[in-house]
């Protein structure tokens, strides 16, 4: 196996990320591979709607614009680019990259990976794509590709693929593959690993965080860092936060390997350097996850502004009036949220006002269109005192639904399409292991009783990061000292979590302990309804659920404060 470390950087964490990041990463320091992640659950729906309008679309066009003035630079520096920007049409994007290279006179070999599109299996879906692993990417790189375009692969596959090609790992090198998956999970969201969206953002200058990179070694260990002189910072906390993002239990399953998050060890390795080692892996599950999107119907909304006194009574009045107005149209789903942004004796009108948000959904566009618009506007002179809205209801917009399905690995035609046009089938794994729950790990001794406590926000002691997986959300909570971990592990139970976040009180909540990370991960089932595209709640991707938790007050030992 090749002993030289592989330096893999990231230049995109989502469709719409910083446009000049590709150039920044190419000019900022030494790299072997650059990865770009463009595909979130919502992105697949967006690309699906693009493809309805134009069958030749379906990929992230911004990637082509980024390549315009960087493809030559990448070629000169010998940096290979691996990206899932192909979305629903990796062959189309690969052709477009080849055409761009020809126009610029740059001898670039372009390959792509396909086989993830399972739309024919799921009638009625807008998109249906299996999450492929990294071995198709590895095949393209071994055959000399300079740019590899994929469709729906796991985010971490953008790192495991180059690692497999570079180090020659086999399918059964589970620990090594798991190490690469963990490094890939840290890199996949770009600057979230370097201080972006970070609970303790005041620890460094995060006005313009640099993008992360991993120095990956042949044993699967890695060092997470960034180019010298770039903004943001990398420490154990920033890496921990990203490790907890959009995860569940101790077993982090993927198509190539199941990584055991409860074995991950993080240690400082110098300024802006964190070493990841100790990662153990297991054979992957026998089935591949399939992400399906479909149009769920149409939605519309209006926000009423309630100013001054009698806010609750004003809200009740307009709700009753709108309910009567809906008696004929009968929208399938009607949701009201009263947001008490008002203050008593306020010095400005805005701070004297509360917001009452009405959202309606229905399979029929007309039901949430003119019916809502007319009903809301007709109340302008006939409702509560001070009646006005933030904006008139607009045209109904379609909303999407995300659903997960599973297919056996052997039923997906994972294929590497090489620069010369040859098609190499990628064999499925031989060894699989069904997922099962991990037993609760040993926790530290409970802290001594009787210590003085103070009522204070949880966030003075703990960091958090939250995110979405379909209709579920996870909230990872971690602390930075062993003594704080003793307290957190025995204090933040599921019951207390549900008390602090009442929206989760009637939903299934599972707690997973990760002692090596001094972390707890809570999975809240169903809090996001049918997923981000359905806009089920105020924060549809649960991005700030963790920050809400950190703001809640509880009794905290004074010596931890």
């Amino acid at each position: 196996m090749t002993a030289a470390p592989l330096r893999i950087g990231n230049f995109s964490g989502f469709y719409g990320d910083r446009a000049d990041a590709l150039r920044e990463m190419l000019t900022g320091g030494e790299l072997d591979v650059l990865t770009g992640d463009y595909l979130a659950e919502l992105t697949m729906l967006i690309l699906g709607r693009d493809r309805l309008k134009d069958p030749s679309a379906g990929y992230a066009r911004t990637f082509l614009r980024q390549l315009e003035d960087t493809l030559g630079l990448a070629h000169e520096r010998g940096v290979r680019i691996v990206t899932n920007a192909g979305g629903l049409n990796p062959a189309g994007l690969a052709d477009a990259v080849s055409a761009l290279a020809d126009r610029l006179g740059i001898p670039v070999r372009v390959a792509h990976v396909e086989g993830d599109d399972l739309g024919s299996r799921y009638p009625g879906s807008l998109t249906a794509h299996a999450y492929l692993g990294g071995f198709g990417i590895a095949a393209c790189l071994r055959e000399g590709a300079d740019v590899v375009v994929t469709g729906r692969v796991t985010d971490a596959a953008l790192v495991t693929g180059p690692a497999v090609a570079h180090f020659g790992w086999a399918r059964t090198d589970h620990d090594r593959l798991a190490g690469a998956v963990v490094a890939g999970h840290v890199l996949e969201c770009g600057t979230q690993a370097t201080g972006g969206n970070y609970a303790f953002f005041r620890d460094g200058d995060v006005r313009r965080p640099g993008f992360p990179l991993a120095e990956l070694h042949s044993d699967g260990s890695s060092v997470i860092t960034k180019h010298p002189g770039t903004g943001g910072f990398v420490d154990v906390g920033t890496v921990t936060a990203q490790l907890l993002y959009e995860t569940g239990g101790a077993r982090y399953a993927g198509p190539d390997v199941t990584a055991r998050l409860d074995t991950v060890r993080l240690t400082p390795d110098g300024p802006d350097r964190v070493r990841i080692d100790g990662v153990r892996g297991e054979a992957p599950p026998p089935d591949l996850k399939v992400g399906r999107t479909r149009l769920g119907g149409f939605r519309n909304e209006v926000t009423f502004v309630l100013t001054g006194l009698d806010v609750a009574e004003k809200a009740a009045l307009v709700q009753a009036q709108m309910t009567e107005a809906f008696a004929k149209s009968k929208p399938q789903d009607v949701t009201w949220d009263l947001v008490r942004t008002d203050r008593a004796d306020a010095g400005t009108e805005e701070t004297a006002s509360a917001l009452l948000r009405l959202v309606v959904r229905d399979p029929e566009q007309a039901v949430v269109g003119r019916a809502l618009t007319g009903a809301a506007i007709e109340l302008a002179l006939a409702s509560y005192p001070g009646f006005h809205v933030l904006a008139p209801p607009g045209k109904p917009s379609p909303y999407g639904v995300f659903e997960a399905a599973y297919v056996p690995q052997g039923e997906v035609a994972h294929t590497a399409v090489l620069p010369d046009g040859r098609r190499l089938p990628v064999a499925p794994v031989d060894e699989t292991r069904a997922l099962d729950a991990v037993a609760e790990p040993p926790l530290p001794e409970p802290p001594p009783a009787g210590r003085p406590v103070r009522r204070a926000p949880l966030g003075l002691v703990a960091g958090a990061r939250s995110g979405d997986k379909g209709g579920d959300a996870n909230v990872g909570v971690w602390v930075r000292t062993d003594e704080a971990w003793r307290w957190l592990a025995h204090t933040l139970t599921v019951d207390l979590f549900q008390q602090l976040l009442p929206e989760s009180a009637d939903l299934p909540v599972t707690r997973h302990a990760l002692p090596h990370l001094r972390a707890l991960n809570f999975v809240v089932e169903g809090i996001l309804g049918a997923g981000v595209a359905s806009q089920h709640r105020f924060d549809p991707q649960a991005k700030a659920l963790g920050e809400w938790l950190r703001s809640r007050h509880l009794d905290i030992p004074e010596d931890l404060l």
Side-chain angles (χ1 to χ4, degrees):
M1 292 186 180
T2 305
L6 181 68
R7 289 176 62 87
I8 304 180
N10 172 280
F11 68 87
S12 176
F14 69 101
Y15 191 9
D17 210 343
R18 190 188 305 167
D20 54 4
L22 180 52
R23 171 169 285 279
E24 289 176 10
M25 291 301 287
L26 286 169
T27 58
E30 293 299 316
L31 286 171
D32 300 303
V33 177
L34 265 175
T35 64
D37 180 12
Y38 291 77
L39 300 185
E41 293 172 359
L42 181 61
T43 312
M44 300 299 281
L45 182 73
I46 293 169
L47 294 177
R49 291 174 60 186
D50 287 347
R51 189 173 59 176
L52 287 177
K53 301 172 186 174
D54 178 2
S56 69
Y59 57 79
R61 297 183 184 275
T62 53
F63 174 64
L64 280 176
R65 293 198 290 270
Q66 289 174 288
L67 282 186
E68 279 279 351
D69 67 342
T70 56
L71 187 59
L73 186 60
H75 178 67
E76 291 169 11
R77 300 199 167 204
V79 177
R80 301 164 103 175
I81 297 174
V82 179
T83 179
N84 60 16
L88 314 184
N89 187 7
L93 179 55
D95 289 344
V97 173
S98 295
L100 174 64
D102 290 344
R103 177 166 60 82
L104 298 176
I106 302 168
V108 170
R109 294 161 294 186
V110 183
H112 72 276
V113 176
E114 57 186 43
D116 58 301
D117 191 343
L118 302 182
S120 60
R121 283 176 171 249
Y122 300 98
S125 296
L126 181 60
T127 67
H129 290 258
Y131 288 74
L132 302 180
F135 278 81
I137 295 169
C140 293
L141 293 171
R142 280 196 300 264
E143 294 292 328
D146 302 301
V147 177
V148 180
V149 172
T150 78
R152 179 75 276 185
V153 296
T154 64
D155 300 339
L158 301 177
V159 170
T160 59
V164 167
H166 183 73
F167 296 117
W169 294 338
R171 289 277 196 180
T172 53
D173 286 325
H174 295 142
D175 290 348
R176 295 181 172 92
L177 288 167
V181 164
V182 169
H185 181 52
V186 174
L187 294 189
E188 69 187 48
C189 290
T191 54
Q192 279 197 170
T194 58
N197 299 355
Y198 181 53
F200 302 113
F201 65 94
R202 291 181 294 178
D203 288 356
D205 183 352
V206 297
R207 289 174 294 177
R208 188 180 172 86
F211 278 68
L213 63 94
E215 298 169 359
L216 196 59
H217 297 268
S218 61
D219 63 355
S221 65
S222 62
V223 172
I224 305 298
T225 184
K226 64 186 184 69
H227 283 327
T230 55
F233 60 101
V234 177
D235 65 14
V236 169
T238 66
V239 175
T240 299
Q242 180 54 28
L243 277 176
L244 295 172
Y245 183 62
E246 295 181 345
T247 59
R251 285 191 164 97
Y252 187 64
D256 297 324
V257 68
T258 294
R260 290 291 297 262
L261 297 182
D262 54 348
T263 64
V264 176
R265 294 184 182 273
L266 306 178
T267 52
D269 193 58
D272 290 318
R273 293 176 62 84
V274 173
R275 179 171 296 279
I276 302 176
D277 59 17
V279 185
R280 295 292 174 261
E282 300 168 346
D287 294 334
L288 295 179
K289 179 180 177 180
V290 179
R292 298 175 57 197
T293 65
R294 59 180 174 82
L295 294 178
F298 295 85
R299 69 184 298 278
N300 208 343
E301 67 176 85
V302 61
T303 300
F304 301 91
V305 183
L306 315 173
T307 304
L309 305 177
D310 305 322
V311 165
E313 291 78 7
K314 291 171 179 173
L317 172 58
V318 76
Q319 286 188 54
Q321 291 175 309
M322 290 298 295
T323 299
E324 184 176 338
F326 286 151
K328 291 183 179 180
S329 57
K330 296 180 180 178
Q332 185 179 79
D333 181 67
V334 178
T335 304
W336 292 93
D337 289 304
L338 177 59
V339 184
R340 294 302 298 262
T341 51
D342 55 307
R343 305 174 196 169
D345 195 22
T348 66
E349 183 178 337
E350 186 171 0
T351 56
S353 300
L355 302 177
L356 179 64
R357 182 169 176 249
L358 166 63
V359 178
V360 291
R361 297 180 178 85
D362 196 87
E364 297 298 324
Q365 184 173 359
V367 172
V368 297
R370 186 172 301 172
L372 172 68
T373 303
I377 297 307
E378 286 172 6
L379 293 178
L381 303 180
S383 189
Y384 60 86
F387 180 98
H388 66 287
V389 297
L390 285 184
K395 293 181 179 180
S397 59
Y399 71 89
V401 173
F402 176 87
E403 298 166 330
Y406 295 88
V407 297
Q409 290 219 24
E411 294 184 11
V412 175
H414 190 176
T415 304
V417 183
L418 305 180
D420 61 6
R422 285 181 297 140
R423 301 175 62 86
L424 292 184
V426 179
V429 295
D430 294 322
E431 180 186 353
T432 63
R433 172 177 175 166
L435 287 176
D436 54 6
V438 175
E440 176 85 2
L443 298 177
E445 288 294 318
R451 288 188 293 176
V453 297
R454 189 195 325 159
R455 198 79 177 166
L458 175 63
L460 296 184
V461 175
R465 178 163 285 163
S466 54
D468 64 312
K469 279 294 179 187
D472 302 340
N474 89 292
V475 184
V477 186
W478 80 96
V479 290
R480 302 195 276 189
T481 67
D482 290 339
E483 191 57 35
W485 169 238
R486 290 178 68 191
W487 172 79
L488 183 75
H490 293 280
T491 301
L492 191 56
T493 62
V494 168
D495 285 345
L496 180 56
F497 179 92
Q498 291 180 306
Q499 291 174 37
L500 296 174
L501 301 186
E503 288 183 29
S504 69
D506 297 325
L507 299 172
V509 176
T510 306
R511 185 183 103 150
H512 305 278
L514 300 169
H516 290 332
L517 300 178
R518 301 193 193 99
L520 301 172
N521 196 24
F522 294 87
V523 177
V524 185
E525 297 180 32
I527 193 170
L528 302 179
V532 54
S534 68
Q535 299 284 306
H536 180 73
R537 64 190 297 273
F538 170 69
D539 175 17
Q541 290 180 280
K543 295 290 190 182
L545 200 59
E547 286 302 293
W548 178 26
L549 179 66
R550 293 182 70 234
S551 74
R552 297 308 309 269
H553 289 224
L554 68 165
D555 291 333
I556 300 175
E558 289 186 350
D559 56 0
L560 297 182
L561 298 170

